[in-house]
């Protein structure tokens, strides 16, 4: 199955983008080649750009606190594992404390590093980080892989609370819905919301279907078109019935 997620508000859109960027950093951080660590650093700059929203930290803290209050209501419920509940509450409380401990603007320590900001500025130019443009960066890329990795981990560490907070929020969001089997007749599916609220849609489509969903949604209706992947340059509707699973996710 292939999963597709469609955020229905800007806050969830930002969290999904950050999640994708953090995963990308983690992948390339494990590499050994200079190109791996170059990609990890450029992605860190992207995290800095996306996370610079002034209210991101506040949004995460407020959402974690809301979820903590909800979970507290399950105390002494015989159908809920007290151990699992305590573990979830502890995780939320630790993440909230780490976020609150972050001082100043997110990533300000990176912006104050002239060497890193020089690389960031040159990286926005096609081919701008060649060795003749940034010889000091070329020197860094040719250092021992473990040395580069330690530097990257040090630059990333102060923003770890953001990743931990969004991981919890998105995990709870994804677990909030129950998938329902649907059929897109002749490749098209429409649904009136009818007062139903959601923050994110999740679609699961079998690999064998070989179709790609194009989703548009607002508070009134959802429209999904399944197009043929081999015609993405000029999207063509898959003019056949397509089975998929649809989940409404909301915290």
């Amino acid at each position: 199955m292939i999963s597709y997620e469609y955020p229905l508000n800007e806050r969830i859109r930002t969290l999904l983008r950050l999640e994708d960027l953090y995963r990308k950093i983690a992948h390339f951080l494990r590499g050994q080649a200079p190109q791996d660590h170059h990609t990890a650093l450029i992605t860190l700059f992207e995290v800095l750009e996306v996370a610079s929203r002034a209210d991101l930290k506040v949004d995460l803290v407020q959402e974690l606190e809301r979820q903590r209050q909800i979970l507290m209501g399950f105390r002494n419920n015989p159908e809920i594992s007290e151990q699992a509940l305590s573990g979830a509450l502890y995780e939320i409380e630790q993440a909230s404390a780490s976020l609150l401990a972050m001082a100043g603007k997110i990533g300000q320590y990176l912006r104050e590093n002239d060497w890193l900001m020089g690389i960031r500025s040159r990286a926005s130019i096609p081919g701008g980080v060649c060795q003749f443009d940034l010889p000091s960066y070329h020197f860094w890329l040719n250092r021992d892989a473990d040395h580069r990795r330690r530097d990257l981990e040090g630059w990333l560490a102060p923003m770890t609370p953001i990743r931990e907070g969004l991981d919890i929020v998105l995990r709870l969001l994804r677990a909030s819905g129950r998938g329902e089997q649907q059929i897109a007749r002749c490749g098209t599916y429409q649904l009136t919301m009818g007062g139903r609220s959601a923050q994110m849609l999740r679609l699961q489509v079998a690999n064998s279907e070989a179709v790609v969903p194009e989703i548009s949604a607002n508070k009134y209706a959802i429209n999904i078109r399944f197009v043929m992947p081999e015609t993405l340059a000029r999207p063509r509707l898959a003019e056949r019935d397509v089975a998929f699973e649809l989940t409404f996710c909301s915290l």
Side-chain angles (χ1 to χ4, degrees), residues 152-247:
L152 286 165
E153 289 172 344
W155 296 327
L156 181 63
M159 287 199 288
T160 298
I162 297 294
R163 179 183 57 78
E164 293 173 343
L166 72 87
D167 280 350
I168 294 172
V169 171
L170 289 178
R171 186 169 70 244
L172 292 172
L173 178 62
R174 288 175 175 126
S176 67
R178 179 175 298 178
E180 299 177 357
Q181 294 299 318
Q182 305 289 349
I183 298 291
R185 302 296 180 187
C186 297
T188 301
Y189 178 85
Q190 295 180 320
L191 178 67
T192 301
M193 293 296 281
R196 184 182 339 202
S197 63
Q199 293 170 293
M200 184 176 73
L201 301 178
R202 295 191 73 199
L203 275 71
Q204 285 195 304
V205 186
N207 297 64
S208 58
E209 288 286 2
V211 291
V212 177
E214 292 184 344
I215 306 168
S216 62
N218 54 41
K219 62 182 179 180
Y220 302 110
I222 298 168
N223 291 282
I224 304 171
R225 298 172 68 248
F226 287 93
V227 300
M228 309 294 287
E230 66 270 17
T231 63
L232 291 182
R234 291 185 176 182
R236 183 166 62 85
L237 189 65
E239 296 176 349
R240 56 183 174 81
D241 291 353
V242 177
F244 68 99
E245 182 178 278
L246 177 63
T247 305

Side-chain angles (χ1 to χ4, degrees), residues 46-142:
E46 293 182 43
V47 168
L48 179 64
E49 187 70 28
V50 177
S52 62
R53 286 181 56 227
D55 55 348
L56 175 62
K57 185 172 71 173
V58 174
D59 281 350
L60 285 172
V61 170
Q62 289 178 344
E63 187 57 53
L64 289 171
E65 176 58 23
R66 195 168 73 86
Q67 294 304 314
R68 190 185 74 85
Q69 293 293 336
I70 291 172
L71 292 177
M72 287 291 289
F74 291 107
R75 286 286 195 191
N76 302 316
N77 187 324
E79 297 182 2
I80 302 296
S81 167
E82 195 67 24
Q83 183 177 3
L85 182 60
S86 296
L89 286 168
Y90 177 78
E91 185 182 21
I92 288 174
E93 289 163 1
Q94 289 295 106
S96 294
S98 296
L99 284 165
L100 290 170
M102 293 179 70
K105 189 175 181 180
I106 294 173
Q108 185 59 34
Y109 66 98
L110 292 175
R111 295 183 182 88
E112 294 172 354
N113 186 317
D114 292 339
W115 185 72
L116 287 176
M117 290 302 98
I119 298 169
R120 182 190 184 191
S121 176
R122 294 297 306 178
S124 64
I125 303 171
V129 292
C130 285
Q131 56 177 296
F132 56 83
D133 288 309
L134 294 172
S136 64
Y137 183 50
H138 180 63
F139 170 76
W140 182 81
L141 287 174
N142 280 275

